[in-house]
Amino acid sequence: MAFAASTAVNAALTALPARRARSASARARVAALSSRQNKITTTFDLRQRARRTRARSSNASRALITAAYRGSQSGYVSFKGKSPGSVSFGAIAEPATETAAGVAYETLALGVPKESFKDERRVALAPDALGKLVKAGMKVVVESNAGVESEYADEQYVEQGCVIGNPWTADIVCKIRPPSKPEVAKLREGQILFSNIYPRQDEALVESLRAKGVTAFGLDCVPRTISRAQAFDTLSSMANISGYRAIVEAANALPRFFAGQFTMAGNVPPAKVLVVGAGVAGLAAVQTAKNMGAIVRAFDVRAAAREQVESMGAEFLEVELEESGEGAGGYAKEMSPEFIAAEMELFAKQCAECDIVVTTALIPGRPAPKLISKAMVESMRPGSVTVDLAAEAGGNIESTVPGKVIRTSNGVTCVGYTDLPSRCAGQSSTLFGNNIANFIMSMGDAKEGRFEIRLDDEAVRGALVTQNGKIMFPPPPPPPKPVPVRAPEPEEVCDLDAADECKPPPAWIPDAKSAMALGALLALFYAAGGAAPPPEAIGLMSTFSLACIVGYFAVNGVSAALHSPLMSVTNAISGMTAIGALELMRGGLLPDTVAATAAAAAVAMSAVNIAGGFFMTGRMLDMFKRPDDPPSYSNLLLVPVIAAIAFYAKQAAAGVAAVALHESIALASALCCIGAISMLASQQTARTGNALGSAGVLLGLAATAGPRLATASADMLMQAAGALGVGGVVGLAIAARCAITDLPQLVAAFHSLVGLAATLTSVAAYMSHPAATGAAHLGATCFGVFIGALTFTGSVIAFAKLQGLVPSKEVALPAKQVFNSAALAGSLYYCAMFFKAAVAGATGDAVSALGAIAALGAFIGLHATLAVGGGDTPVVITVLNSSSGWALCAEGFVLGSQLLTVVGALIGASGAILSQIMCVAMNRSIVGVLLGIKGTLNKTKTVDVDPNMLCDVERGECVVSDAGTAAQDLADAKKVLIVPGYGLAVSKAQYAMADLIELLRESGKDVVVAVHPVAGRMPGQLNVLLAEAGVPYDVVKEMEEVENDVDKYDVSLVVGANDTVNPSAVEDPNSELAGMPVIQVWRSQKVLVLKRSLAGGYADVENPLFFNSNTNMVLGDAKSSIEEIKDGLKALL
């Protein structure tokens, strides 16, 4: 057994280094699974630590050996790797539990001394912040009266569990100001200090701390470009307060109002404020001055500040000379002499106009740049005020006297306070203390209650000034990011504990499912035939079934890029609800009954759909047209159609048109509608398809009006023409003014009109013919009312969600399925009541029952759509498109119209197929979407990912880049993959994207645009947006076309996409997106993500892509970022 154990140890140590090629710290777990006849079987599970962005610098590793045979014990083998593949090891150490890293909170004491700097009223930590540390287990000692100047009495600290005493004896000392010489003398070797240190300016202090053996962290040195370090950033917290206080001091010194006033004594114009520098302090000053009613102007050399300034309602000033001011660490850089000259000219003009000038410009380690000369101050009006936030570093204004307020000879008050945060001591202490507490709690493992200084933590290493008698500042530059190498696909190994799950399903299951589906269909046909319906109903059922089959094959042939035009065309064709309503119109110039009024309203609403839908489809298809495409003359198709309608109308008006002619025109209408959808299969025939759809609707309206032309009065015909005309004009106006980015909202709004028209038409049909009491007729009436009301309210809610009028997240009553089921049961009950009342001739009761059915259907549509999460919106849009078709089909059954039955089945099948396509793309079930059930159909197996490729998501680490760096990455690339998302539409960045693509292609780059099937808020929306901007559709590919080649691209540029590029869908089996097909951009060499923030996408799921080490986040508005990247790329190329 000893020999076997030794063999296992040697095997573990031999195997480990080969797997640690990239990680300096790893752990190997060797488990003996069986022991039989002195034979040991072992498996190795080597897992690298993924808790940090970079591995520890130590080369030491440990292997845990666990043996399962009798009498064996567990232990560790400590070893050091000399080179990959060769390891030397020492003795086995027991017990088998690792010593936890770091120091337990319970053993630490933290001290907070009273600030000794003159006029400093702040305290390093307020009572609430210390209460968090005490609750975590630390002992806290606060010097007596440390917080008195900040309005924090000793009793408040005691209430939080602190002790009043000598803080210099504690293990950790926290201060605000750099320690003075007497305070340095109080420190001892091994003590930890957190305070501002300014190592670039005070080298003597750094040396004294090193000599004392103090581990010192400079809070002013915390890296500001790490997103998670914002919680530790004391400079930003204090700058925020300084900006606010600067305006307060200026308002106190200004001898008049900030806000304008209109009084009987005269009008007072608002004060004009100029803020130079739009960093944290500058933006706080802008916001405060704007809130006080002033006219605010701001200037910054960094173009990225424009959006933030303008979002606060201020004017952003620029100089004519183009030069980027982006510097390292989030600061502005020093500008060229030419730029400074232009800048001075701008400032001189503004000083002569403004009442208040606030300056905030600082460059770390250097004196503050002089921006406002004495001559500029002398040009300001008497009573004006300047506030210099850079006074402590020499000031930006030549007239500033640090620490004092002076008044110039021309009556300008110059404020040079260097203690603005101290003038809000209580608030400053609260924010400063929260920053320190967050920093301390981030070091080590707060959940386990352990404090540890880890040099692989960029925030910790960046702030570390001295340690173990050494000067650690400045920190070393971060190592280059490793190039991602895709590991070979591992062979699938079946888990012995879950062997049943590894077995493939029996081969007969797919055929059994098909047999069950066919059996259910035959049972349905048997039930329909057994009810002995009239022959007309069987004919309609036959037509309906064949139309569904035709619709299925027609829609399957449409390319994904044309799904948006497809939905627009079917939306327009669904306006043929006007056909049924036209048959029910009565009266003269105005309708004469309630039913006739409902029919007229339905005609007008349907006309909105028809005209608006075809016009919008034409707009979209024109966007796909390339400059070298031949001109389209598809509208010539309307010439023979109009001629045929004119000939037909003449015969019908004379009363000589045969019944067969009416039916032939209706058949032609149906065939044109089928052809319209079929011809949307390609870009070359899509415009012809739109024209053919228009022809089909015109023929359908003509076939409906024809039989009545000979008998209808002129007034009646004018009423019908008026309803169609008004609705058509409204539809054209809406479609002409609608932005392409608002297309999903437009489609949802048009769907609602179809649903309402179908409901009104079904009710009007019964009221016009109450004697028709056939079961099929009454059933179709109930279904038409129900599905129409459901489509109406569901579409209204979908519109409201897309427009941002209601939350995009799911909103539902408790036990939502119970309410929906109750509403459905109620609908069936009132349907039975309607049958009973209609057969008995009780028209009033029957109409009331239909009203109840409509109300319950409307509730289900409203509640079910509200309960659907935002990520499922594309599916909801297609489902509503389908339901509008079924509503039209129901209308056909009510009126006995084969035309409406065919067209309705065609649209219903079209929407159903699109819904299925969307669900497959999201790996979701249609039932799960409609019932608001989260999660995907099939959870994928987790994929092993190199931990060094991931930053720490929990700690929020990511790499924030700028436009210049992104431009350099694109310039260096040969193959570029661009993945747009809905953020592209929101920021209206499609034109900027088109220009960037053109620039890349002109420079010889191989550029491909990959569009996910559910990108955007409806199928094909991103394709339309890109076509609108002139992106050639031959470079736009579907997800399936690029998924096998992603790792061949040098750079993947993700613009506004989130869920569709989320690695959790592939790597995390517990994610709500697990199993959803995504574009795996992380496999490319470099990923650039253009996004406003690190927030989750429409499905509200966190995206680990943002934290991959080969991902650079370019945060900001997509349009502005693309334009900046384009400008940088032009300079590089």
Side-chain angles (χ1 to χ4, degrees), residues 445-489:
D445 191 338
K447 294 180 180 179
E448 297 295 329
R450 306 194 71 83
F451 175 84
E452 182 183 7
I453 298 174
R454 294 185 55 85
L455 300 186
D456 59 338
D457 184 326
E458 285 186 284
V460 173
R461 184 63 187 88
L464 186 61
V465 178
T466 62
Q467 184 185 36
N468 298 331
K470 297 179 181 179
I471 295 177
M472 307 295 287
F473 188 88
K481 304 179 186 71
V483 177
V485 178
R486 190 180 181 189
E489 294 291 336

Side-chain angles (χ1 to χ4, degrees), residues 1104-1121:
L1105 174 68
F1106 303 158
F1107 307 98
N1108 274 19
S1109 63
N1110 69 325
T1111 297
N1112 279 10
M1113 298 296 299
V1114 183
L1115 300 179
D1117 176 72
K1119 182 179 179 182
S1120 300
S1121 298

Side-chain angles (χ1 to χ4, degrees), residues 413-455:
T413 300
C414 299
V415 180
Y417 289 139
T418 59
D419 61 344
L420 287 175
S422 274
R423 292 173 179 269
C424 290
Q427 186 66 69
S428 297
S429 299
T430 297
L431 298 182
F432 196 98
N434 288 340
N435 290 144
I436 296 180
N438 291 336
F439 194 19
I440 292 173
M441 298 284 281
S442 77
M443 299 171 67
D445 191 338
K447 294 180 180 179
E448 297 295 329
R450 306 194 71 83
F451 175 84
E452 182 183 7
I453 298 174
R454 294 185 55 85
L455 300 186

Side-chain angles (χ1 to χ4, degrees), residues 800-980:
K801 281 195 172 192
L802 294 167
Q803 194 68 19
L805 303 178
V806 299
S808 61
K809 294 183 179 180
E810 62 177 66
V811 178
L813 296 170
K816 58 185 177 183
Q817 306 305 348
V818 174
F819 280 95
N820 290 340
S821 299
L824 182 59
S827 299
L828 294 175
Y829 169 78
Y830 281 107
C831 184
M833 293 297 100
F834 169 70
F835 269 71
K836 182 178 179 181
V839 172
T843 306
D845 292 343
V847 172
S848 298
L850 290 178
I853 294 171
L856 291 171
F859 169 79
I860 293 176
L862 182 149
H863 187 232
T865 308
L866 276 176
V868 172
D872 291 329
T873 300
V875 179
V876 173
I877 294 292
T878 55
V879 168
L880 291 171
N881 178 254
S882 179
S883 67
S884 67
W886 304 131
L888 184 62
C889 197
E891 186 178 327
F893 274 87
V894 170
L895 300 173
S897 169
Q898 286 196 345
L899 174 59
L900 291 181
T901 303
V902 170
V903 173
L906 188 67
I907 296 170
S910 167
I913 296 303
L914 283 179
S915 301
Q916 179 63 18
I917 292 172
M918 294 299 101
C919 286
V920 169
M922 299 168 64
N923 195 27
R924 299 273 276 128
S925 71
I926 186 66
V927 175
V929 170
L930 297 182
L931 296 182
I933 300 172
K934 293 186 176 182
T936 52
L937 279 173
N938 301 308
K939 304 292 186 181
T940 57
K941 296 183 179 180
T942 183
V943 175
D944 290 333
V945 180
D946 183 356
N948 287 319
M949 296 302 298
L950 295 174
C951 295
D952 195 329
V953 179
E954 292 183 0
R955 292 160 49 127
E957 290 184 0
C958 71
V959 179
V960 179
S961 183
D962 56 20
T965 304
Q968 184 64 60
D969 290 333
L970 290 173
D972 295 339
K974 294 182 180 179
K975 293 173 67 69
V976 178
L977 178 67
I978 298 176
V979 182

